[in-house]
Amino acid sequence: MSPLTTNVDRPRRPAFSFGFKLTLAMTLLIAGVGVTALLFLRGQIEQNYTEFLSRNFERQVNMFFENQREVLKNAQDVLKSATTNNVRFIAALDPDDLHVDHLYNDLTFQLHALQRGQRNILYRVFDSDGHYLAPPDDDRDVTAPGLSEAQLAGLLAPYVQSAQASPDNLAETVNYLVLGDSSHPQLYQVMTMPIVDRVDKQVLAYLVFGMEVDARMSFGAGVGGQKNGYLLGDQRLISSSLPEDLAQPLGKIIGDQKTETNGVVFSNSMDGEHYLLFSRRLHGNDKFPVSITLYPLNELEELTKEIDWVMVAIIPFSLLICLFLALFVSRQFTRPILALVAGTEAVGRGDFTTRVAVRSRDEVGCLSAAFNEMSADLALKEKYRNVLDCVTDREIAARLLSGELSLGGELRTASILFCDIRGFTSLTEGMDPVEVIELINTHMSALTAVVHRHHGVVDKFVGDALMAIFGAPKSYGADALDAAECARDLMAERQRLNSSGGHIIQIGIGVATGTVVAGCTGSVERLNYTVLGDRVNLASRLCSRAPAGEIYIDENTRAAFGADTSKLEPVELSLMLKGFAQSIRVFRMRTFHTSPRAHGQCP
């Protein structure tokens, strides 16, 4: 692992790649938009078609009512001219000289024009007391087919009674009457008109006049295939295009609605077709007939079927196009992302020369350019780190890079080790300088590895001498024992190198333990981590006094062994050392035993 990388758990590769998810999302999005648009189009067509039929129905109904008003107005004018304004008709109503045949003969002549404009007309006269005045036998053609005069009188009498109940209201009352048998019912629009004496304003008689209403409602041109009719209160249906069997289901729908029915889908079980049902009551009273129009939905159904076929046939083809489009677009996204992932993995392995291609000027391109800059910066930092490792110990270098060390010092308890070559001048006398440097480098590299195995920090190389620190900048708990064990392994390592051939080098080692000042010295431009104090001087003096192949330690280092003296020589020296006013107790370590850690890695 590169020194600049951190041990971070990386996410596992997903079961589905980003490109697959992006392609799927884009495909579903485009497909969803397409299906939604088609469904919305279908709904709009159905709504617009329903609104069109509703407007058509309203237009036809309004035209029908307007036409009926004109017909009734014309009929009223004719009736007044034939009755109230007709002197012969008024004379024939004289109770003392009543001539019923003159009444009907004159009405037949006067109403001949109305009879030509309508399919059928019906007129009967009642006296002022409401008694029926039957027409003579030769005027039976004005009688409704299939009804006797007595039956007809019974049907018309309620209208006269209604007019008698409101004598102050001389306006004509309009009602509806159904005549004929159940197989051929006929709907009449009926007016009850009082005949008033123009002099004394007395009611002389009542004229009941009826005009058959066309079952087609006189709507004129409409939507092709539409069916019209009238639904009576007794669930009878009057229509030339609708069968009587539909009366009950139509009546149920209209009854359930309670109000005017607009746009209710109705299925005709007779022909298997579907219709939109519209209805309008001819008067506010529930007893009045309801006009009905059924508009066929076959054209709308054909159009919706075409839309359905479009969704079934075209949408898969569109989805295929969307899939290729989504793959192309997702590839434009995923290619640089995959390149960044591969580059990141390469950088994680320590390959800071990795670069990715910048293929665009968008955000992904900016990210790729930023990655290249980061990789270049990491390569430069790694280079600086390698250089720093060459000029200082790796532990110190790591702490300097992390910012844990700065200009200043602290008091620490540490063990200081000095190792020096004996007879170096005579050894290298006459040797080539390159060979001398190679000899020193080989020697120092082997010793440095031993120091690192024992948690030591190589502080500096002074000529042919090595200075190591144990317990600073970090303590491992048994720093004095680490220093002593390191000294024995340094001696063993040097003996191993001597036995492997080449130049024979003898070393002496000194170790001292105690309080030192540890920290970075120098300036903010150039720092050097080291330790200062009399323990450093003592370790240096012990190293210089130690004979070749021997290790001298001070009393503080010896105390770390406690009662175990198996690794110490039974020789205690008292030396006068330069810089120390009193003699120093010195202990010599055994060097004939090799530590088990000499050739292993430190824990």
Side-chain angles (χ1 to χ4, degrees):
M1 179 180 292
S2 172
L4 295 180
T5 59
T6 56
N7 189 16
V8 179
D9 292 336
R10 296 178 181 173
R12 296 179 178 178
R13 288 191 179 273
F16 300 103
S17 65
F18 173 76
F20 174 81
K21 294 178 181 177
L22 181 61
T23 301
L24 180 61
M26 293 182 63
T27 303
L28 293 179
L29 176 62
I30 297 175
V33 171
V35 172
T36 302
L38 288 175
L39 292 177
F40 176 78
L41 176 62
R42 178 177 178 176
Q44 286 296 110
I45 291 176
E46 293 178 351
Q47 179 180 352
N48 293 339
Y49 193 79
T50 302
E51 292 177 355
F52 165 74
L53 295 181
S54 177
R55 290 192 298 268
N56 185 74
F57 176 77
E58 292 295 330
R59 179 180 60 83
Q60 292 182 352
V61 167
N62 293 333
M63 290 177 58
F64 167 74
F65 283 128
E66 182 65 26
N67 180 56
Q68 290 299 102
R69 282 192 293 269
E70 292 180 1
V71 171
L72 289 175
K73 179 66 171 57
N74 184 39
Q76 290 170 0
D77 293 340
V78 173
L79 290 174
K80 286 182 180 180
S81 177
T83 57
T84 304
N85 298 333
N86 189 339
V87 176
R88 290 179 300 174
F89 186 83
I90 296 298
L93 288 173
D94 187 355
D96 297 330
D97 190 17
L98 180 65
H99 295 279
V100 177
D101 53 345
H102 293 168
L103 290 176
Y104 282 99
N105 288 335
D106 197 63
L107 282 175
T108 301
F109 177 78
Q110 295 290 337
L111 301 181
H112 181 70
L114 290 178
Q115 192 171 12
R116 287 185 305 177
Q118 297 290 330
R119 296 182 61 188
N120 289 304
I121 62 174
L122 174 69
Y123 44 92
R124 291 292 184 270
V125 180
F126 290 77
D127 63 15
S128 59
D129 295 328
H131 298 129
Y132 179 60
L133 302 178
D137 293 339
D138 56 354
D139 285 332
R140 294 301 181 184
D141 58 331
V142 299
T143 304
L147 292 177
S148 65
E149 284 298 316
Q151 291 174 331
L152 183 60
L155 292 174
L156 299 181
Y159 300 119
V160 176
Q161 296 170 1
S162 176
Q164 290 177 329
S166 54
D168 296 335
N169 184 11
L170 299 182
E172 296 78 7
T173 303
V174 179
N175 291 283
Y176 290 90
L177 174 66
V178 179
L179 298 177
D181 54 22
S182 59
S183 60
H184 295 89
Q186 297 173 344
L187 179 65
Y188 284 80
Q189 195 172 23
V190 179
M191 293 186 299
T192 305
M193 181 175 146
I195 302 173
V196 183
D197 189 294
R198 299 175 63 179
V199 178
D200 56 14
K201 305 300 181 183
Q202 295 295 319
V203 176
L204 301 178
Y206 292 95
L207 175 63
V208 180
F209 175 78
M211 295 183 296
E212 184 182 2
V213 179
D214 190 351
R216 293 169 297 180
M217 299 174 63
S218 302
F219 278 177
V223 177
Q226 73 179 46
K227 303 178 185 298
N228 303 311
Y230 296 97
L231 184 66
L232 308 180
D234 57 358
Q235 299 295 306
R236 283 189 296 169
L237 184 63
I238 301 177
S239 174
S240 61
S241 57
L242 293 173
E244 180 67 23
D245 295 343
L246 296 182
Q248 186 172 358
L250 288 173
K252 185 178 187 307
I253 293 177
I254 296 174
D256 291 341
Q257 293 295 321
K258 303 298 182 183
T259 58
E260 295 180 358
T261 303
N262 291 315
V264 176
V265 177
F266 176 75
S267 177
N268 186 356
S269 59
M270 302 297 295
D271 54 17
E273 294 187 5
H274 296 86
Y275 298 87
L276 276 180
L277 169 63
F278 293 88
S279 65
R280 176 70 65 82
R281 193 170 295 279
L282 298 182
H283 197 275
N285 195 325
D286 291 344
K287 298 180 180 179
F288 282 76
V290 177
S291 63
I292 294 173
T293 297
L294 294 178
Y295 291 102
L297 295 178
N298 51 352
E299 294 183 0
L300 177 61
E301 290 175 348
E302 288 296 326
L303 184 58
T304 54
K305 285 181 180 179
E306 291 180 3
I307 296 178
D308 293 340
W309 274 110
V310 168
M311 288 191 292
V312 172
I314 296 181
I315 286 182
F317 179 72
S318 302
L319 284 178
L320 186 61
I321 297 178
C322 295
L323 178 61
F324 283 109
L325 179 62
L327 285 173
F328 174 77
V329 175
S330 65
R331 183 177 176 84
Q332 303 304 310
F333 279 101
T334 56
R335 285 182 62 187
I337 293 176
L338 291 176
L340 286 171
V341 171
T344 303
E345 292 176 349
V347 169
R349 294 191 300 267
D351 183 7
F352 301 124
T353 62
T354 301
R355 300 293 185 272
V356 296
V358 181
R359 303 180 183 275
S360 62
R361 302 179 62 181
D362 55 10
E363 291 81 357
V364 178
C366 293
L367 180 61
S368 300
F371 174 84
N372 291 338
E373 293 178 2
M374 178 200 70
S375 182
D377 290 342
L378 289 175
L380 185 60
K381 289 181 179 179
E382 183 68 8
K383 183 177 181 180
Y384 289 160
R385 173 62 181 269
N386 293 334
V387 173
L388 188 60
D389 285 345
C390 292
V391 298
T392 186
D393 189 85
R394 62 184 182 185
E395 177 73 17
I396 302 301
R399 290 178 175 268
L400 285 173
L401 289 174
S402 64
E404 297 180 30
L405 297 179
S406 59
L407 191 62
E410 60 178 343
L411 292 177
R412 298 189 67 93
T413 299
S415 296
I416 314 302
L417 181 148
F418 277 87
C419 177
D420 190 16
I421 297 178
R422 298 294 182 257
F424 182 72
T425 301
S426 60
L427 176 65
T428 58
E429 186 177 358
M431 292 178 58
D432 183 84
V434 175
E435 187 180 359
V436 172
I437 295 300
E438 183 180 356
L439 177 65
I440 288 296
N441 289 343
T442 302
H443 171 75
M444 292 301 182
S445 297
L447 269 56
T448 298
V450 175
V451 171
H452 287 163
R453 288 202 300 266
H454 291 277
H455 309 301
V457 173
V458 176
D459 181 79
K460 63 175 65 70
F461 301 103
V462 183
D464 59 343
L466 175 147
M467 175 182 171
I469 307 171
F470 298 84
K474 179 181 179 181
S475 175
Y476 289 89
D479 302 315
L481 289 177
D482 285 339
E485 290 291 338
C486 179
R488 288 169 56 82
D489 286 349
L490 288 175
M491 195 66 67
E493 179 66 15
R494 187 60 257 177
Q495 293 175 3
R496 186 187 66 81
L497 293 175
N498 291 338
S499 62
S500 62
H503 296 281
I504 303 300
I505 297 177
Q506 299 295 330
I507 58 175
I509 301 175
V511 180
T513 302
T515 302
V516 297
V517 177
C520 292
T521 61
S523 65
V524 293
E525 289 81 9
R526 187 178 189 279
L527 299 178
N528 180 38
Y529 186 84
T530 188
V531 291
L532 303 174
D534 62 345
R535 297 296 97 181
V536 179
N537 296 332
L538 177 58
S540 177
R541 298 293 182 268
L542 291 177
C543 178
S544 62
R545 294 294 296 273
E550 294 191 6
I551 303 171
Y552 281 1
I553 62 174
D554 68 343
E555 188 174 4
N556 291 340
T557 305
R558 181 252 176 263
F561 287 91
D564 183 12
T565 60
S566 60
K567 298 180 182 180
L568 300 176
E569 291 283 356
V571 176
E572 180 179 339
L573 304 176
S574 295
L575 302 177
M576 292 298 299
L577 302 177
K578 182 180 179 180
F580 294 89
Q582 299 179 353
S583 61
I584 301 300
R585 297 180 63 189
V586 180
F587 299 87
R588 184 167 54 195
M589 291 187 63
R590 299 179 184 272
T591 58
F592 54 85
H593 175 72
T594 301
S595 170
R597 294 166 60 180
H599 301 288
Q601 295 292 331
C602 61

